[in-house]
Structure formats: C-alpha cells, structure tokens
Amino acid sequence: MEINSHYTDRANGLGFSVENMDPSADAAQDFYRFAAGRWLDQTVIPDTEGQINGFKRLYLLVNQQILALLHHAAENSVHAPKGSVEQQVGDFFASAMDTQRLEELGIAPLQPEFERIEAIATPAELATTVAHLMSISGSPILLTPYVLADRKKSDVNTLGIYPGGLSLGNRDLYLNEAYAPLRAAFLEHLARMLQLTGISDAVAAQQAQTIVDLETALAQAKLSPVEASNPETTYNKMAVAELQAMIPHFELGTFFARFGLSTDQEVIVSEPDYVRALDALLVERPIEDFKVYLRWMLLSGTAHYLSPAIAEANLDFFVKKLQGTPELLPREQRVAAQIQNGFGHPVAQLYVKEYFSPETRAQVSDIVEQIKAQFEARLRTNPWLDRPTRAFALDKLRRMVIRVGQPEKWIDYSSVEIRRDDYLGNVMRLNQFDITRNLAKAGNPVINDEFAIPGATLPTDINAAYQPSANKIEICAAILQPPFFDPTLDAAVNYGTLGAVIGHEMTHGFDSIGRHFDAAGNMTDWWTANDTEEFEAFTNKLIEQYSQYEALPGVYVNGKLNVTENTADLGGVVLAFNALKEALAGQPTPDKIDGYSPEERFFIAWAQLWMSKERPEVLKLMISSDPHPPSEFRATGPLVNLDEFFTAFNIQPGNRMWREEAERVQIW
Ligand SMILES: [Zn+2]
C-alpha cells in the first residue's frame, strides 16, 4: 500500500506560510487581511463544500487517507478472520460501494419497518416503536435516552433524558421569519422523499405539512442554544415515576423495556418543559400524525444507506440547499466519512497504525506539559483569585487528564455481524450495539471510553476536546498534522497553533461552563462569591467585545452564545504566547524567519489557523447556533487583548486594531 504518511501542502494553504499573507495590508489596520489576505484572495470554496479553511482541508485529507485504508481493507477482507478489524472494515466498505445491489433493493429494506409503524394502534405500541426505531437508526426521535457520568456524582453513570432531534438541526430554522424560504424548500423536499417510499403526490404533500407542523411545535418547546448550555438548568434529577407524571401519554414502561432499561432508577431530565410540551402534542394530535413523523425519521436517518438515488435525493436538500453547495462529494468519499464516523474505533485502529507516530506523540506531550506548567504558574500569580479558589483551581489543573492521539483500549466490535452484502443491516446492527452498550452503563461506576465520541473525539476527528465531567482533554491523532502541528517548522508557529489549541482546551476547564465542575468532574460551586463576581465581570467584557463584530451586513456575532469558546481562545493564546516566551528566555535572540520575529510569527500563525471562507448560508447557520464565532473574529478577537500584540506590530491609538488598555481583558 502506498500512502504518504507525512503530508504537507503549504502552497494549498494547509499550514502556516508567509505566502498566505498580504504584505501590502497594514497589520495595524486589518490584521486578518495582513496575515491571510493572499489566501483569502486566491482561495475558492470547492463546489462540494459549504466552507473552506484549515480544518476542512485537513478533514478532506484525512478523508482521503481513510479512503485508501478502506480500499485496501476491502481488497483483503475476504482472507481476514471473521470479526477481525480488517474483515469488518473491509466488508463494511464493500457493502456500501455495491451500488448495483443497493439500486436493486431500493426502498425494500425499510418495508418491514414501515409495516411495523403502520401497525401502531396504542400508546404503548407507539412508545416501543419509537425506541426500536431509535435503536436501529441511531437518530434521536422525540425523547432520547443517553447515559453519561452524573454531573454531580461523576464516578457514577446516570441515564439522561434529552429532547429528540430536529430534521433541520437548528431550532431557529423553524421559528425565525428569515428562514421562511428555507422552510418552503424543506416542505417540498419532504414531499419528494415521501414519494420515493411509494405514496401518491397528494398524500406526500399532506404528510410533509404534518411533519413540518409537528417539528415546529417541537422546536418551540426546546431551549435556545444559550439556555441549553446552562449546566444547572439542564440538570433535573428525578425518579422515572416523576418523569412519567410529566408525560402521562407516553408509556415509559414499554419504552424503557425496549431499550433494556429499568424504570426503577433516577434519571436526569435536561428539558422538563420540552417533555411536558411533547405530552400535550400527544394529546392534541392523532396517533396517525406520529406515524407519519416516524416514517420520515426512519427514512431520513437511513437514506444514506439505501440506493444512491435515495441517498442523493436526501443530500440534495441537506447539503446543497441548506449549505448552498453546488455539488456533492463523490460517493466513495461520502461513504468514507460515514464509516469513519459510524464505525469509529475499528477505522481509527487502522488509521493510527499508518498515520500516527510515537515521535509525534512524544513531541505533542512535551508541548502539553509546557502549556500546563505555564497555566500553573499563572494561577499561582493570578491577581484576582481569592486564596481558596486559587487552591481549588490549582488542584483541578493538576488533576486534569490529558490524552494524546489514541485510546489505550479500543472498543471491541467483534461480536457485531458485518456482511459484505448488507449495508443498511450493518449500520442497524452497529447502531443497536452502540446504544445497548451505552445504556447498559446506567447506574454503574464510570469507566470512560477514551476517544470514542463520533464527530468529536475519535482519533480520526480533526479536534481536541475537554470533557468537564471527567476533567479530561483528548487530542485526536488526526489533528496532529498541518495546519495544527508541523515539526518541520519553528517553535513560534507550533506554539501559535497547536500550543494555543491545547491552552484553549485547558481553559475550557475554567470557562463559564467548566468552572462549575471540580477536579473530579463533579458539578459543584467551588468559587468564593467575590471570585464569581470578578469572573463574570471579565466574561461580560468578552461578551461585549464580540457582540460588536458584524459578521454579515446587519448580522452581529452572538457574544453570549460564544462566550465559552472566546474565553478558551483567549486563554489558549495567552498561555501559548507566555510558554513561547519562556522557551525563548535565556536563549540568544533567534534570527528572524521569512523576515518575522518569533512574536510576530506566533500571532500570524494563530490568525492563519482561522483563515476561512464560508458560503453565506453556512455563515448564517453558524452565527445562530455554533458556540464558536466566525473565523475572522477567532483570528483577531483574542489578540487585541494582549499588550504584546500591539507592541509586536507597533499598533497605536487611532489604528483600527487598537483596543484601549482599559478594555483589554485577560482572565487566565
Ligand atoms: Zn473549544
């Protein structure tokens, strides 16, 4: 197998380069333009994407790396022992690429499930069927059980009850007048998809309206993203009997039974008002409406795994229309992404063997230690923390667990039957395995799976993540490549990218959410009243700063929604910059590289990490629901709070980038 294990492509913008800069721009007036102007001028968003940036480019590269592994596995899986990673991954991929068989099958694989839905006659049958469909499709429908460490008793797993998902993902899309045209397009899309299941145009149009009405009511009942991020309001612990009293028209007994869950336990309900609203809908609306809805949720959750015609009809709306993307990625790339996400650990096992080296792990672990030492030193000399809070913070940082690259122990999928001729069946069996495995943890001591959250912490994800209830950071193997980390470049660049990303994750332990959790991951208040007041004064300044940024004409950044990420970005930059200063201290002044000092390169590298272009559709969605602000403001927002930034580029009062000293904020 021929795969490049080390790949840098600076000319294409994957990584730091002075070629990305616009030297004619004035750093003091428009730093983003100065650091990334040429890249912004020359980069075109590919027809298959809603945005393009370092994350996306690396994602596409990793997708290609995985694709090569999948092809290789599919060629060899026939000879591999049944249940081995090679057999399972290879046959899974082969089943997905057998498009002739998938076309022949068409909608047929869903027929038994449609019949099951049609047969629902009682509330008990409705509850069982919802549970069944969730188990096989993996989609959260109406009411979602999921087990996590108890936020207030972090060594025990507790069953959480969450709202179901919305087809459009984002509640705003149902409620905000500005999205009316999109809703109209969604209605048409629903009708088209329902027709593909063999029902008449007229009935399909009627059912589409029912689905939109029902989802709009569900959207109204949900918390906004800002409200949902409050760890106190979403912690409502109660007996199942109490939950049942809130939703008397949904039989929790049969619902729990289908999942293999006992009703004799306490659950944490994230949104009680949603539960009550769902109950009201179950009374107001005929059971037929819910059957229509379940058909759709099943279809949309499994469309990817049916015939290419059905899969593409669905993506036509969700990718092209919703993100304004003219073209779909080739099927094999889409399949690679699905398998990477849905069969995470087995694919990751193949990935790290090929693309993640012990050297990288050692180098990154070293940067982690330096950033951590810097954080500790800053906590000791912190000018605003009272003594008890400081001691607690130091203990929390010391006990923070940081894992680099991959888990010690992989999840064992060998018992799941993966067949070469059954794509949908493979997916359904995997979903069933994952959900059963998760729910079986309820009430048991926490033994955390590592690197196991699809789309967030798989070793193949382009991400690093802090988990408050475990006080743990996982830095995925796939992110340890350019533009995030490049051992061939100078320290200033690597501190300005990966160093700041690590500092960002550490700071999440001390942001507006993380600060509510202690060293063991329990939600407790370990702050003096005085320190809480000081902290909130700082974060209010950050909210104010970012709320002034105009992302699109008349559309401003939601400083409240973004406050945790902005706190983390600021912390990350401050920690990494000071760690760099410390690493350079006592050494002879390094030569300029490409004409820039280490300080300058640090700030340019940070800004280049966030250079990005988005289609307006994507940007609008980000502003309304993404906890991160748009990239341009990630690039410059933290920097204008550092005195050293103004010094490095000789930025003076009156310059556009200038920020008065009294307005600058540093929290950690
Ligand atoms: Zn973050």
Side-chain angles (χ1 to χ4, degrees), residues 504-505 508 565 568 628 634:
H504 170 111
E505 297 308 331
H508 271 318
E565 292 302 334
H628 305 87
R634 292 195 79 174

Short mmCIF file of all heavy atoms in Angstrom, two decimals, residues 504-505 508 565 568 628 634, ligand 1:
data_model
loop_
_atom_site.label_atom_id
_atom_site.label_comp_id
_atom_site.label_asym_id
_atom_site.label_seq_id
_atom_site.Cartn_x
_atom_site.Cartn_y
_atom_site.Cartn_z
N HIS A 504 -6.33 26.33 24.78
CA HIS A 504 -7.78 26.53 24.61
C HIS A 504 -8.54 25.44 25.37
O HIS A 504 -9.44 25.73 26.16
CB HIS A 504 -8.09 26.51 23.11
CG HIS A 504 -9.54 26.47 22.75
ND1 HIS A 504 -10.20 27.54 22.16
CD2 HIS A 504 -10.48 25.50 22.87
CE1 HIS A 504 -11.46 27.22 21.95
NE2 HIS A 504 -11.67 25.98 22.37
N GLU A 505 -8.15 24.19 25.15
CA GLU A 505 -8.87 23.08 25.81
C GLU A 505 -8.70 23.15 27.32
O GLU A 505 -9.65 22.92 28.07
CB GLU A 505 -8.41 21.74 25.25
CG GLU A 505 -8.69 21.52 23.77
CD GLU A 505 -10.15 21.76 23.38
OE1 GLU A 505 -11.04 21.56 24.23
OE2 GLU A 505 -10.39 22.17 22.23
N HIS A 508 -10.99 25.56 28.85
CA HIS A 508 -12.40 25.12 28.95
C HIS A 508 -12.73 24.59 30.34
O HIS A 508 -13.87 24.63 30.77
CB HIS A 508 -12.69 24.04 27.90
CG HIS A 508 -13.16 24.60 26.58
ND1 HIS A 508 -14.06 25.64 26.49
CD2 HIS A 508 -12.87 24.24 25.30
CE1 HIS A 508 -14.29 25.90 25.21
NE2 HIS A 508 -13.57 25.08 24.46
N GLU A 565 -16.26 29.67 24.22
CA GLU A 565 -15.21 29.46 23.22
C GLU A 565 -14.25 30.65 23.17
O GLU A 565 -13.05 30.49 22.98
CB GLU A 565 -15.82 29.21 21.84
CG GLU A 565 -16.55 27.88 21.74
CD GLU A 565 -15.68 26.66 22.05
OE1 GLU A 565 -14.45 26.74 21.87
OE2 GLU A 565 -16.24 25.64 22.50
N ALA A 568 -11.94 30.46 25.99
CA ALA A 568 -10.93 29.43 25.73
C ALA A 568 -9.90 29.91 24.71
O ALA A 568 -8.70 29.66 24.87
CB ALA A 568 -11.62 28.15 25.26
N HIS A 628 -18.86 28.65 18.52
CA HIS A 628 -17.66 29.37 18.09
C HIS A 628 -18.07 30.57 17.23
O HIS A 628 -18.97 30.46 16.41
CB HIS A 628 -16.75 28.49 17.24
CG HIS A 628 -16.35 27.21 17.91
ND1 HIS A 628 -17.13 26.08 17.83
CD2 HIS A 628 -15.28 26.89 18.67
CE1 HIS A 628 -16.53 25.10 18.51
NE2 HIS A 628 -15.42 25.57 19.03
N ARG A 634 -12.29 34.81 15.43
CA ARG A 634 -11.40 33.94 16.21
C ARG A 634 -9.95 34.36 15.94
O ARG A 634 -9.10 34.29 16.82
CB ARG A 634 -11.57 32.47 15.82
CG ARG A 634 -12.89 31.89 16.21
CD ARG A 634 -12.88 30.37 16.14
NE ARG A 634 -12.24 29.78 17.31
CZ ARG A 634 -12.20 28.47 17.56
NH1 ARG A 634 -12.77 27.62 16.69
NH2 ARG A 634 -11.62 28.00 18.63
ZN ZN B 1 -13.47 24.96 22.43
#
